[in-house]
Amino acid sequence: MTSPPGLLRRIRRGDLIAAAVIFVLGSLFIGLGVFEPYMVHLPLWVRFIPFGLTCLGVVVRRASPGLCLALGTLGFGTEVAIGVTFATICVYTDNLYAFARYGPRRGVRILTPAVIAGVLLLGGLVLLDGADTAAVLTTLAILAVVLLSPIATGIIVRQAHDRALLERERAEQMARLADVRRREAVLRERTVMARELHDTVANYLSAIALQSTALQSRKDLDSDAVRTSIAAIRASSVDGLAELRRIIGILRAGDEGEELASYRIDQIPELAERMRAVGLKVEFRTEGPARPLAGEVELTAYRVVQESLTNALKHGRDAVAVIEFRPGTLVVTVVNALGDKEEAVPGAGSGLVGMTERVRLLGGQVHAGPDGDRWAVHAEIPTGVTND
């Protein structure tokens, strides 16, 4: 049971003011004699007691709905015994409404049949008092309207409020879900951007770094060899800048289809030739009957070969790349000998991660790791084409 200090803290100022105003107005009605006296010789001040109890119920209507109903019922019962007052009946309807609106649900389920029983009991008392059938039915109708309608109204308002809360919670959940989806979309977009920029920058800049390192380390080069090396460095830098411009243009335009159609398997020989120009011995071949494939499949195969050759350029030597067309699957294999040179260009391993992500997004699988004295990359990419 709630302690009085706790109850006082929960009393709403609006309820307290409403109770005071109602008590003043109701007292005016009682003072003017607006009531039905059963006990003629009863002092007038006694009639303020049941009315005051119902007004006290208004004070605690939201702080303690059960106490509100108890005070109101006590006042209304006393009123029925000593004489009906219009003000008390009106305030008691608010006591009933407050309990139906704010009280415990189990208590509300009990309240309705209890009030119905009370109405029937009062109708029986009127009948025993000698009233005719019409008077009894009229009394029952009035009591039903006065006592049951506030309960029904409170239940309806409560259900509407519960539905509004449910809709608000659902809207908040939808907003949180939309925010999560937005964050996931941004994260996916950033991942794609990082993967594309890495595949571009790592390939071209790794070649430039290795070429410039080789040029610095050789002191016996003649002018023609130096010019050839500088021309190769310039070609790599120009190609890299062109690729960066292409990616930035796609990001600005938001055209996803262009990126998927950017690289194809038939462009891998150009990639191999560019790697040969910077000093990596590369052999490339295809096996099986070639056939048209989806743009994302060809792009993924190109990126796997590109990343593998870039790693071979930085860490190994003598690479062999093979594209094998199988029914329903495109197999990409890149093998290179492990080099004995120190790493000239630092790497964080994000290239292998991006390559793996590309293949797995298409439902394929990748294995990359040492194979004896070689480094091997083996990727199987589903194509969805089973016929040869």
Side-chain angles (χ1 to χ4, degrees):
M1 185 175 179
T2 305
S3 61
L7 177 62
L8 293 177
R9 283 194 298 268
R10 298 204 313 272
I11 291 177
R12 305 288 185 90
R13 180 182 299 179
D15 295 338
L16 183 61
I17 294 174
V21 173
I22 291 173
F23 184 79
V24 171
L25 294 177
S27 298
L28 180 62
F29 276 95
I30 294 174
L32 293 176
V34 185
F35 55 86
E36 182 67 26
Y38 295 161
M39 300 180 182
V40 180
H41 303 291
L42 194 69
L44 182 64
W45 63 267
V46 175
R47 300 189 179 277
F48 287 93
I49 296 177
F51 178 62
L53 291 175
T54 57
C55 290
L56 285 177
V58 174
V59 174
V60 296
R61 62 194 304 269
R62 281 182 284 188
S64 179
L67 180 59
C68 169
L69 179 63
L71 291 172
T73 302
L74 179 61
F76 180 75
T78 306
E79 188 82 355
V80 170
I82 66 175
V84 178
T85 302
F86 175 75
T88 303
I89 294 176
C90 290
V91 179
Y92 184 57
T93 59
D94 181 78
N95 299 148
L96 292 171
Y97 169 83
F99 186 81
R101 173 67 178 85
Y102 305 110
R105 298 182 184 276
R106 180 179 299 178
V108 174
R109 287 193 294 268
I110 298 174
L111 176 63
T112 302
V115 172
I116 292 176
V119 169
L120 294 177
L121 177 62
L122 291 175
L125 293 177
V126 172
L127 182 62
L128 293 177
D129 194 42
D132 56 11
T133 304
V136 172
L137 293 177
T138 302
T139 302
L140 289 175
I142 294 174
L143 290 175
V145 171
V146 172
L147 300 180
L148 291 177
S149 60
I151 300 174
T153 303
I155 293 174
I156 293 172
V157 173
R158 183 174 193 153
Q159 291 175 346
H161 182 264
D162 292 342
R163 284 195 298 268
L165 287 179
L166 182 61
E167 290 298 327
R168 185 173 67 182
E169 291 177 359
R170 187 176 301 171
E172 292 175 353
Q173 291 176 356
M174 294 299 295
R176 287 194 294 268
L177 181 60
D179 183 66
V180 170
R181 289 177 175 174
R182 180 188 62 81
R183 292 176 182 271
E184 290 177 350
V186 171
L187 179 59
R188 285 194 300 268
E189 183 178 356
R190 293 179 64 179
T191 301
V192 171
M193 292 170 59
R195 194 162 54 220
E196 289 298 321
L197 290 175
H198 173 272
D199 290 344
T200 299
V201 173
N203 182 260
Y204 289 101
L205 293 189
S206 295
I208 294 172
L210 291 172
Q211 287 172 318
S212 60
T213 300
L215 185 61
Q216 285 180 332
S217 62
R218 295 290 298 276
K219 305 298 183 181
D220 56 344
L221 295 178
D222 55 21
S223 58
D224 291 338
V226 171
R227 280 195 296 271
T228 301
S229 298
I230 293 177
I233 292 174
R234 182 181 182 280
S236 296
S237 62
V238 170
D239 292 342
L241 287 173
E243 178 66 9
L244 284 176
R245 290 193 192 99
R246 184 189 68 84
I247 293 177
I248 292 173
I250 293 173
L251 293 176
R252 286 178 176 174
D255 188 354
E256 299 178 357
E258 181 181 350
E259 198 276 339
L260 293 177
S262 296
Y263 289 107
R264 301 180 303 277
I265 292 176
D266 58 12
Q267 293 177 284
I268 294 179
E270 299 176 7
L271 173 64
E273 187 61 33
R274 189 167 66 247
M275 288 296 180
R276 294 189 191 102
V278 297
L280 179 66
K281 184 179 179 181
V282 180
E283 177 186 347
F284 171 71
R285 68 178 185 271
T286 61
E287 298 179 357
R291 56 185 178 273
L293 299 174
E296 59 267 24
V297 174
E298 297 211 27
L299 173 64
T300 300
Y302 182 94
R303 290 302 193 191
V304 171
V305 175
Q306 182 186 47
E307 178 61 28
S308 301
L309 294 182
T310 301
N311 288 335
L313 178 65
K314 293 193 295 183
H315 310 297
R317 54 186 174 82
D318 301 341
V320 177
V322 179
I323 299 290
E324 182 180 357
F325 292 88
R326 296 180 184 176
T329 306
L330 185 69
V331 179
V332 181
T333 304
V334 182
V335 179
N336 64 270
L338 295 175
D340 53 1
K341 57 185 177 181
E342 295 183 356
E343 183 180 353
V345 181
S350 56
L352 291 176
V353 174
M355 177 178 63
T356 303
E357 288 176 349
R358 287 181 182 276
V359 176
R360 288 180 177 175
L361 283 175
L362 298 181
Q365 55 184 356
V366 179
H367 174 74
D371 183 12
D373 60 347
R374 306 180 305 169
W375 181 272
V377 176
H378 182 81
E380 296 182 4
I381 308 171
T383 63
V385 180
T386 56
N387 58 326
D388 293 337

